[in-house]
Every structure is written in C-alpha cells, then in structure tokens.
Amino acid sequence: MSKAIVIGAGFAGLSAATKLADAGYDVTILEKNATAGGRARVFEEKGFTFDMGPSWYWMPDVFERYFAEFGKSVADYYELVRLDPSYKVIFGPTEEVDLPANLDELKALFESIEQGSAKKLEDFLYESKYKYDVGIGEFVWKPSLSITEFFDYRILSKAISLDLFASFGKHIRKFFSSRRLLQLMEFPILFLGATPKNTPALYSLMNYAEIALGTWYPMGGMHEIVKAMVKLAEEKGVNIKLNEAVKRIEVENKTVQKVITDVGEYEADIVIGAGDYHHIESQLLKETDRNYSEKYWNSRTMAPSSLLFYVGVDRKVDKLTHHNLFFDEDFDIHADEIYTHPKWPSKPLFYVSAPSKTDASVAPEGAENLFILIPIAPDLADGEDVREKYYEIVMERLEKYVGHSIRKHVVYKRSFAVSDFKNDYHSFRGNAYGLANTLLQTAFLKPSLKNKKVKNLFYTGQLTVPGPGVPPSLISGLVVANQVITEFGKSHKELTIA
C-alpha cells in the first residue's frame, strides 16, 4: 500500500487525505497545531465556545457533494439551520437593512430601494445561476495545470455570458444604480479578497450562492464541520498526528523520499502540502526544488488579513442578528488602505458575528458570544497598543448602534491578527484569506497544485486552485487527490514511482 503524507489538517488537507485513503492509500496527516481544522479551530473560555476563523456557511451543495463522495451526507454529522435574515447591513446608527432569506421578500426590499430593481434582480440571478452552475459545477473542479483544460466548448462558447474578462464592479452597474443596492450586492466580493473593479464578473456566482442557496449555520458552530471531516477521515483509516511540525521535505532524484518533523521522519510515496504554500516552498524545500521564487511570491496580490476579537459578554446585545456588517464608513477609503496604500485603516468597516443569537450552546445563559472582524492589509505591525486602539474604535460604534453599553459587560476578550496568522499557520505575509481572486490570479494563473520539479509533490489549499474560502478548500483537496490518483493510480498494492 502506497504511503501518502499530507502536511496540514485544515479543510483542504482533510479533504485530500480522506479521498486518498478511500482510494487505498495509507495516509498520514502531520499537523503542527494541537487540533485539526487549520483556521477553523475552536476554543472555549468561561462557558463561551469561539470559532476562531470561518463563520459563513455558504454553498451548501458543495458540502453535500463532499460527503456524498464517501456515501455520506451532511445530516449524518451535524444539523444545519438556514438563517433568516441572512444578514444585517448597518449603514449608520439609524439606518439598517435586514436581508430576508425569502426571495420574494428580498425582491420587495430591492424594489423599495430602487424602482424596477425587483425585475433587475431576477435578471441578475438568472445570469448568476448559469455562472454558478458552470463555475462551481465544472470550472473549479479542474486541476488548472494548463490553459488547454479550459478549451471547452461550454466555456468558450459562453465566454461573454460568463464575463471572464469584465469586472464585477462594471457588471453589477448594468443592473442597479442605487448606492445602497450596489453596496449590498458587492458585499460577497469582499470574501474574495479584491475590490469589485478588480474582481472578474464571473464571481457574481457568489451572489447567486448567497441569495438563492442561502446562508446557513451548523448548530454547535463552524468547527462541527471539522469534527465531521475528522470523523470521516478516521473512518477511512487516515492517521492524524497533531503537535507535529514538519521541518524538511527530503528530495532525491526529483522524488520526495521522506518528510522530516520535529518528532520523527516518514517515508512517502506521495506528499501533499496542505499548509501554507509559500512556507512549504521556502522553508521545507531546497531552492532547486521549488516552483516559485521569492520575487514571484512578492509580486502576488494578497487578499486581506484580519484583526479579530473574540468577546464574551455577560448580557444579551440588542439589535444584532447572527451576521452583521457595519458599512457605516466609506468602503472606498477602507479598500484603498488595504490594497493601494496599505496601512491601518482610518475609519474601518467591520463585521460582527453573534452566533449565540442562533445557538444557545455557544454562550452561557443570558450571555452573548461576539466574533468581530476588521479587514486589514497583510503584513502590518500589530502590537497590543494598535489592537486595543481598534477595539475601542469598533466597540464605540457598536455601542452607538445597539444603544447600550457592551464594554462594561465584557467578561472575556482575546485578539488575533497578522502575527498570529504567521505564528499559528505560517501564513504568507500574515494573510487571512489567501490570494486575491483577480483575473491574473484565477485558475491556471494561480500557483500550481503540482510541483514541476518534484514528481510526487503536490499542493492544496487557499494559495492554489480554486482559491480561498471553505467550499473552495474542500474542492481543492478533492481536486489534488484526484490528480494524484490520475497520475499514480489507486493504491491497492505497492506503488513504484518511475
């Protein structure tokens, strides 16, 4: 039985490992941290359960497709509830919009903001559904090793309707002119790590995912997905080793022979790097075995990093829903301070998740669990003084909106920012989301999932195809595992690498 080593137990690593184990490989995951999940770790303090990373559950079909790969379903592992409203957008202390889950109610809301926009929303969603069906149904499942993979009649014949080369910002303005509607429709693009004018219009598929497929929540928290994936991986025979950091990948004759950790060493027929791609290349491989130079990495456009606060409050917080977006300052200024002139934002937009509004298990009775996120430029210096400054900025605006004190009721607070992303995940430049999904960093223009110099070394996760986010990470793991199986076959006997 061939031995596969997967470096990293995040979504992509667990996905790849499970698929290879299902195909007969002897799979071991090596994870530097004490728990699986990568950025989707969890911790408990003073009766609060905090998800540390992803908080949005979109594209439920991708999760179902993942578990169906192994004859399972989401319902076998966790309970999903659809959020209604999907989320709230706060434009100021007295101006807010709740986005209803029901499409007819959403169309009525749009019509109340801009006459004729209900029909325009229908038209927009019709186009976006096609992009979702092709983009998520086919496009993202390609290994993107060559441009020729995309010489497909469906994609080529529909290049215009897919808007492969138009910008999202220009595309959305064909349908809506109201500033409020544009803000609402451009919001999902923030999760792709680029401004609307620099994001391909193809990604309007995100709006379809959010509006038509819904915003969901796994009861118990987002880490329930990780627990499910770990359980499934172990059922398939995957051996997950925690607290074991990889120090070196030993290559001879263009083939990985061993993976060396701070605990021991592992012989390997296949290696998949599911940790930070840049770290694996720059720290674990000799320069002659790397795909990309430092010049290449430094030329990449990164998605934002984040300043996060995990806050436990000993009272209920008024007016908040599960997801709350504070667009009460100028988006363009904040975007400029992330992408064009990187610095700490002067008047940041921010996001607050209050999962205790949906799930009583994540906070003590009568208390509130708050997850606060400020998008920031990567690689900023993030000492305790600057973190505290932004905590006060955000809490002042939050208290002004809800109409009562929160800070004096805080019984637990923890921050997490650039330096923590670097320390905990070896994150390149301390990014939170990976590479920005710009046109020049899409599909085969992303870092390759296959090492071009080492025969049996592959990569998966947010810095390679298809990109950042939980559903893309699940897909990335399956795509790289399928590529391994394509090249080396299923492993029911010893594999000899030519």
Side-chain angles (χ1 to χ4, degrees):
M1 184 181 293
S2 301
K3 294 180 180 179
I5 300 296
V6 177
I7 302 170
F11 288 112
L14 288 167
S15 173
T18 305
K19 182 65 178 178
L20 287 182
D22 191 53
Y25 286 78
D26 177 5
V27 185
T28 298
I29 299 178
L30 302 174
E31 167 58 49
K32 73 179 286 286
N33 289 313
T35 58
R39 285 163 167 76
R41 293 183 296 161
V42 67
F43 72 96
E44 297 180 13
E45 284 288 347
K46 296 191 175 181
F48 297 91
T49 301
F50 294 101
D51 278 316
M52 293 188 68
S55 59
W56 293 80
Y57 195 108
W58 279 350
M59 304 184 185
D61 55 315
V62 173
F63 294 88
E64 287 292 356
R65 180 168 174 173
Y66 173 76
F67 287 105
E69 283 275 332
F70 311 103
K72 301 288 187 178
S73 71
V74 162
D76 293 329
Y77 296 100
Y78 52 87
E79 176 191 359
L80 272 183
V81 296
R82 185 167 183 175
L83 301 183
D84 189 11
S86 298
Y87 55 92
K88 180 195 293 283
V89 181
I90 296 96
F91 296 109
T94 59
E95 186 181 2
E96 64 186 41
V97 176
D98 286 313
L99 277 292
N102 180 275
L103 182 56
D104 288 335
E105 292 178 17
L106 183 64
K107 287 193 290 185
L109 171 64
F110 271 52
E111 192 68 22
S112 72
I113 296 173
E114 180 181 328
Q115 187 174 0
S117 62
K119 177 61 169 63
K120 291 290 184 66
L121 178 61
E122 287 183 355
D123 295 341
F124 175 83
L125 289 176
Y126 179 81
E127 285 194 15
S128 300
K129 181 181 186 303
Y130 176 81
K131 292 172 186 173
Y132 189 89
D133 290 344
V134 176
I136 301 301
E138 301 176 27
F139 193 83
V140 299
W141 294 90
K142 296 179 180 293
S144 297
L145 294 171
S146 167
I147 190 174
T148 58
E149 293 172 34
F150 300 91
F151 291 171
D152 178 285
Y153 81 94
R154 287 199 61 185
I155 293 177
L156 291 177
S157 65
K158 297 295 184 179
I160 294 176
S161 60
L162 280 173
D163 288 316
L164 293 176
F165 306 109
S167 80
F168 181 88
K170 184 176 290 186
H171 174 70
I172 197 69
R173 282 162 178 79
K174 294 178 183 177
F175 298 89
F176 309 106
S177 57
S178 161
R179 183 170 67 91
R180 287 292 181 245
L181 291 186
L182 291 172
Q183 286 177 302
L184 294 176
M185 297 301 282
E186 289 179 342
F187 141 67
I189 299 304
L190 296 177
F191 289 83
L192 299 173
T195 59
K197 69 179 181 181
N198 290 326
T199 299
L202 168 66
Y203 289 104
S204 63
L205 61 86
M206 292 287 288
N207 298 94
Y208 176 78
E210 172 238 323
I211 294 170
L213 303 181
T215 300
W216 300 76
Y217 173 78
M219 295 300 286
M222 292 292 285
H223 193 72
E224 292 299 307
I225 311 167
V226 175
K227 288 165 63 176
M229 293 181 71
V230 167
K231 183 177 180 181
L232 178 57
E234 291 178 339
E235 288 172 358
K236 292 295 180 180
V238 176
N239 184 16
I240 303 173
K241 292 185 173 290
L242 303 173
N243 293 310
E244 191 159 353
V246 174
K247 297 300 183 183
R248 190 170 79 254
I249 298 173
E250 193 172 285
V251 177
E252 293 180 11
N253 299 321
K254 299 182 178 180
T255 304
V256 175
Q257 303 294 330
K258 293 179 180 179
V259 176
I260 314 300
T261 73
D262 55 2
V263 175
E265 58 182 52
Y266 298 84
E267 293 183 354
D269 298 300
I270 299 293
V271 174
I272 296 177
D276 183 87
Y277 197 134
H278 172 264
H279 172 78
I280 291 169
E281 288 244 303
S282 65
Q283 300 299 315
L284 307 186
L285 289 171
K286 292 184 294 186
E287 188 171 354
T288 53
D289 296 325
R290 300 170 190 168
N291 269 350
Y292 303 105
S293 66
E294 281 301 304
K295 181 179 180 181
Y296 169 88
W297 285 108
N298 290 331
S299 70
R300 298 304 88 189
T301 301
M302 304 306 298
S305 187
S306 299
L307 171 56
L308 306 172
F309 295 102
Y310 312 102
V311 181
V313 183
D314 69 1
R315 61 156 290 172
K316 302 305 286 185
V317 178
D318 297 343
K319 297 178 71 173
L320 295 181
T321 60
H322 191 117
H323 296 301
N324 309 270
L325 296 145
F326 282 77
F327 279 23
D328 52 339
E329 295 289 357
D330 192 303
F331 170 80
D332 291 332
I333 292 175
H334 191 168
D336 179 79
E337 292 167 340
I338 293 174
Y339 298 108
T340 310
H341 302 97
K343 60 182 177 182
W344 280 96
S346 52
K347 295 180 178 180
L349 283 68
F350 63 98
Y351 156 68
V352 179
S353 175
S356 44
K357 295 293 185 184
T358 303
D359 185 356
S361 74
V362 300
E365 185 176 357
E368 210 81 274
N369 175 320
L370 301 181
F371 169 94
I372 301 170
L373 182 153
I374 306 172
I376 58 175
D379 244 358
L380 296 179
D382 61 347
E384 196 57 40
D385 54 341
V386 73
R387 297 188 189 201
E388 196 61 25
K389 171 186 173 181
Y390 281 89
Y391 173 76
E392 294 297 331
I393 289 173
V394 165
M395 294 303 285
E396 184 174 339
R397 282 161 55 191
L398 182 56
E399 288 179 346
K400 186 175 181 181
Y401 167 69
V402 301
H404 61 77
S405 174
I406 299 174
R407 279 171 283 191
K408 71 180 183 181
H409 292 279
V410 171
V411 294
Y412 179 78
K413 181 182 76 171
R414 175 181 173 184
S415 65
F416 195 97
V418 176
S419 58
D420 301 298
F421 281 104
K422 291 179 180 179
N423 292 334
D424 286 13
Y425 311 123
H426 296 309
S427 174
F428 178 54
R429 298 179 61 198
N431 79 84
Y433 299 105
L435 294 177
N437 273 330
T438 62
L439 178 60
L440 295 179
Q441 293 181 164
T442 295
F444 56 89
L445 297 176
K446 289 185 182 291
S448 176
L449 62 75
K450 181 176 171 60
N451 189 293
K452 303 165 189 176
K453 300 175 183 177
V454 182
K455 299 174 185 177
N456 56 343
L457 177 57
F458 299 80
Y459 305 90
T460 188
Q462 64 177 8
L463 288 178
T464 184
V465 292
V470 178
S473 292
L474 291 181
I475 294 169
S476 184
L478 294 178
V479 169
V480 76
N482 284 329
Q483 186 63 30
V484 169
I485 294 166
T486 296
E487 294 191 26
F488 297 103
K490 291 190 176 182
S491 178
H492 300 293
K493 58 184 178 180
E494 282 297 319
L495 174 71
T496 301
I497 299 175

